[in-house]
């Protein structure tokens, strides 16, 4: 049995469809997680387009919000930046009307949301809806993300001291709105005791990789259980010299921005011909440059290796010519068109428009509406001899050079890099993996272990 979205043409797997029905047919709070490549984004997009509920989609960062055509959490809830702590939250009439109209709140990249912000969302909804005794003011909350991949920005100074005094950790799953926090020791989270009950569902079918052996290696990296044998296979395979094949370009995934910028600048400078710059057009209040979905000034030459930043809309009924993450080579630059070769076929690429949305309440229809408040127009391309591992999130590559430099500095970083690849054959390492590169956050390990044990108990009760 499958379910399809007429607006996207995508088809849900059985487990995705089962999750969609859980979200659509109940009022349960649901955390949708899963390994890289299991289709979390596909399910979120289907939900946003096919739900019959009044839905608001948000994300912790501007780029993440653009990717899901939603709004940032701080903008939607009109929350101050930084630690919010206790107390009422300032709300105007427009914000209260919006929050009162929501049936279901969808949060993408939930792993980047800290515990304090999660509780602020809860208090905002209780306050606006006048239902202070009910978690989230009666709104259904659906969250998407993978704590093994992206972490919230660690608090510093007084903020870190406040979090340490009031929370078990700064992760979203240790917010007060969820039940049964254990303040000391290594006890498991018991969800649903005093607060909102969180239903955790993990997508298990991996769509990105097909080789079971490589999947097992990625799982070992994800959970921090890399054996000497697994490390030997990864390092032996990755030790090969990357091919110099202009028709099948390869990308470097690096830990730091300065390394990525240096690689891209060096390769661009080595190309003959004139450098041309495409300047983005920004209309409305799009925010600062760090939330732009593409470079405000895109420097290109013929021969430049580029990566597409959006899926091709294409003609209705036709397969997309490229997807977000496709690598190609610039063959011609003429006016408002950049010609890019992908796998031996050339396509004319025109500027794309990214729209920044804001939710509003329509009193006549008694419904939420979504209005465009800003637009960013630029070619959907980025120089792609290298990209940061963080920005490779959600992308898929047949081949990549993984450059961990001085070492992975964040939990999950190595897993994100390796899991971008469709097969082990496409892995190239600038240096061997070290034990210190395989980092797993201990709070994530605790939470996910509790999730697994709870699911085992539910399965035993169902038998």
């Amino acid at each position: 049995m499958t379910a399809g979205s007429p607006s996207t043409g995508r088809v849900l797997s059985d487990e995705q469809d089962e999750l969609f029905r859980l979200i659509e047919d109940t009022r349960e709070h649901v955390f949708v997680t899963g390994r890289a490549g299991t289709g979390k984004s596909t399910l979120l997009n289907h939900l946003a387009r096919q739900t019959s509920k009044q839905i608001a989609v948000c994300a912790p960062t501007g780029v993440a919000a653009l990717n899901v055509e939603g709004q940032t959490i701080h903008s939607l809830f009109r929350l101050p930046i930084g630690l919010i702590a206790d107390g009422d939250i300032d709300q105007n009439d427009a914000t209260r009307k919006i929050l009162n109209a929501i049936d279901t709140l969808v949060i993408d990249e939930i792993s980047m949301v800290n515990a304090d912000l999660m509780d602020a969302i809860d208090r905002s909804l209780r306050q606006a809806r006048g239902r202070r005794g009910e978690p989230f003011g009666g709104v259904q909350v659906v969250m998407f993300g993978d704590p093994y991949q992206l972490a919230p920005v660690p608090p510093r100074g007084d903020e870190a001291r406040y979090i340490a005094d009031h929370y078990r950790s700064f992760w979203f799953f240790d917010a007060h709105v969820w039940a049964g926090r254990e303040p000391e020791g290594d006890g498991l989270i018991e969800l649903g005791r005093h607060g909102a009950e969180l239903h955790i569902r993990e997508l298990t079918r991996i769509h990105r990789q097909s080789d079971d052996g490589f999947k097992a290696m990625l799982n070992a990296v994800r959970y921090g259980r890399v054996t000497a044998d697994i490390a030997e296979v990864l390092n032996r395979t990755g030790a090969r010299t990357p091919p110099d094949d202009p028709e099948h370009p390869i990308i470097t995934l690096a830990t730091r921005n300065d390394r990525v910028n240096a690689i891209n600048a060096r390769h661009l400078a080595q190309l003959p011909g004139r450098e041309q710059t495409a300047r983005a057009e920004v209309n409305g209040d799009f925010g600062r440059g760090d939330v732009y979905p593409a470079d405000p000034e895109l420097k290109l030459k013929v021969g430049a290796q580029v990566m597409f930043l959006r899926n091709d809309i294409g003609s209705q009924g036709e397969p997309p010519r490229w997807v977000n993450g496709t690598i190609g080579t610039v063959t011609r630059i003429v006016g408002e068109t950049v010609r890019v070769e992908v796998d031996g076929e050339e396509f004319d690429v025109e500027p794309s428009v990214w729209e920044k949305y804001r939710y509003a309440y329509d009193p006549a229809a008694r419904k939420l509406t979504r209005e465009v408040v800003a637009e960013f127009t630029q070619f959907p391309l980025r120089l792609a001899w290298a990209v940061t591992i963080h920005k490779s999130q959600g992308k898929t590559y047949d081949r990549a050079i993984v450059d961990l430099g001085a070492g992975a500095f964040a939990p999950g970083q190595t897993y994100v890099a390796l899991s971008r690849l469709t097969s082990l054959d496409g892995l190239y390492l600038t240096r061997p993996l070290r034990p210190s590169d395989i980092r797993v956050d201990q709070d994530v390990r605790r939470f996910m272990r509790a999730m697994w044990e709870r699911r085992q108990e539910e399965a035993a009760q169902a038998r």
Side-chain angles (χ1 to χ4, degrees), residues 21-263:
R21 295 269 43 110
L22 171 66
I23 296 166
E24 184 70 5
D25 298 341
T26 74
R27 302 290 303 162
E28 307 289 0
H29 305 301
V30 182
F31 170 40
V32 180
T33 189
R35 290 164 288 176
T38 51
K40 296 183 293 293
S41 296
T42 298
L43 177 58
L44 188 156
N45 291 330
H46 182 86
L47 172 66
R49 288 168 170 78
Q50 298 302 309
T51 182
S52 60
K53 299 177 179 179
Q54 290 287 292
I55 191 172
V57 181
C58 60
T61 67
V63 172
L66 285 172
N67 289 338
V68 293
E69 298 183 352
Q71 204 170 338
T72 65
I73 294 170
H74 286 83
S75 173
L76 176 62
F77 287 90
R78 297 294 189 267
L79 295 172
I81 301 297
L83 194 69
I84 300 167
D86 298 326
D88 281 356
I89 295 167
D90 290 337
Q91 292 175 335
N92 57 30
D93 287 342
T95 300
R96 282 192 291 272
K97 287 178 180 177
I98 292 169
L99 299 186
N100 269 280
I102 297 174
D103 293 327
T104 299
L105 177 72
V106 176
I107 308 174
D108 194 27
E109 302 292 11
I110 187 62
S111 62
M112 297 181 70
V113 175
N114 66 33
D116 172 68
L117 182 56
M118 193 81 242
D119 280 335
I121 292 170
D122 171 48
R123 290 206 314 279
S124 295
L125 288 166
R126 294 187 196 224
Q127 179 179 316
R129 297 165 72 90
R131 299 164 72 173
R132 293 180 182 263
E134 193 171 357
F136 301 108
V139 170
Q140 179 189 29
V141 175
V142 179
M143 300 166 289
F144 289 80
D146 180 10
Y148 283 109
Q149 295 187 55
L150 289 175
V153 177
R156 301 176 183 274
D158 288 340
E159 291 186 4
R161 287 185 281 274
Y162 178 90
I163 293 293
D165 285 344
H166 291 80
Y167 291 97
R168 184 170 184 178
S169 79
F170 58 85
W171 288 85
F172 77 96
F173 47 74
D174 280 329
H176 298 309
V177 65
W178 310 119
R181 294 183 310 113
E182 294 288 343
E184 296 178 352
D186 194 32
L188 301 180
I189 296 173
E190 296 183 18
L191 302 170
R193 182 180 289 175
H194 300 299
E197 183 175 4
L198 181 58
H199 293 262
I200 306 169
R201 296 292 182 267
E202 185 170 15
L203 293 169
T204 59
R205 181 183 172 191
I206 297 176
H207 304 275
R208 183 172 294 146
Q209 294 93 18
S210 58
D211 178 69
D212 289 339
F214 188 42
K215 289 179 185 179
M217 293 179 199
L218 292 177
N219 279 344
V221 175
R222 172 184 168 90
Y223 298 123
R225 300 170 185 163
V226 177
T227 64
D229 288 342
I230 292 174
E232 198 275 332
V233 171
L234 290 171
N235 285 328
R236 185 181 69 246
T237 304
R240 299 164 298 156
T241 300
D244 183 14
D245 184 358
E247 292 188 3
H248 297 89
I250 190 168
I251 191 170
T252 295
L253 310 182
T255 55
R256 310 190 69 89
N257 264 314
D258 54 359
R259 173 66 173 154
V260 166
N261 293 337
I263 292 172

Side-chain angles (χ1 to χ4, degrees), residues 40 50 139 175 208 244 287 305 327 333 343 346 363 430 443:
K40 296 183 293 293
Q50 298 302 309
V139 170
R208 183 172 294 146
D244 183 14
Q305 183 167 297
I327 305 295
I333 306 171
D343 292 332
E346 293 190 356
T430 58
D443 289 302

Side-chain angles (χ1 to χ4, degrees), residues 254-288:
T255 55
R256 310 190 69 89
N257 264 314
D258 54 359
R259 173 66 173 154
V260 166
N261 293 337
I263 292 172
N264 285 330
R266 183 181 75 249
H267 280 279
L268 188 67
Q270 290 172 347
L271 290 175
R274 182 169 64 94
E275 179 180 286
Q276 300 188 51
T277 301
R279 291 177 174 81
E281 180 181 336
V282 184
N283 295 311
D285 181 18
F286 212 94
R288 305 180 309 278

